[in-house]
């Protein structure tokens, strides 16, 4: 997951939810497929959750 997002953004995300990058990456790897299954309608995942910020917010709430 860090390779997909990059180390800087992953570190920022991990810091924003109060965990280390490994835990954040593992959590996202578990949560993102579920979010895509539940939220995607015709491939419009980002639109359905309010863009990238909404996706990150949803991931943060599920990992907290």
């Amino acid at each position: 997951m860090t390779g997909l997002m990059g180390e800087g953004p992953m570190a920022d995300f991990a810091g924003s939810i109060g965990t280390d990058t490994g835990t954040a990456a593992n959590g996202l790897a578990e949560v993102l497929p579920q979010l895509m299954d539940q939220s995607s309608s015709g491939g419009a995942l980002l639109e359905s959750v309010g863009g990238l910020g909404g996706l990150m917010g949803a991931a943060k709430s599920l990992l907290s």
Side-chain angles (χ1 to χ4, degrees):
M1 190 55 62
T2 301
L4 177 65
M5 292 181 64
E7 289 187 33
M10 181 58 73
D12 291 343
F13 174 67
S16 73
I17 61 170
T19 191
D20 61 89
T21 56
T23 301
N26 289 336
L28 283 174
E30 290 180 28
V31 169
L32 287 178
Q34 294 171 16
L35 284 174
M36 291 180 74
D37 285 344
Q38 293 173 2
S39 301
S40 183
S41 174
L45 173 65
L46 289 179
E47 291 175 19
S48 69
V49 295
L52 186 56
L55 178 60
M56 297 305 280
K60 178 181 175 182
S61 69
L62 289 172
L63 293 173
S64 297

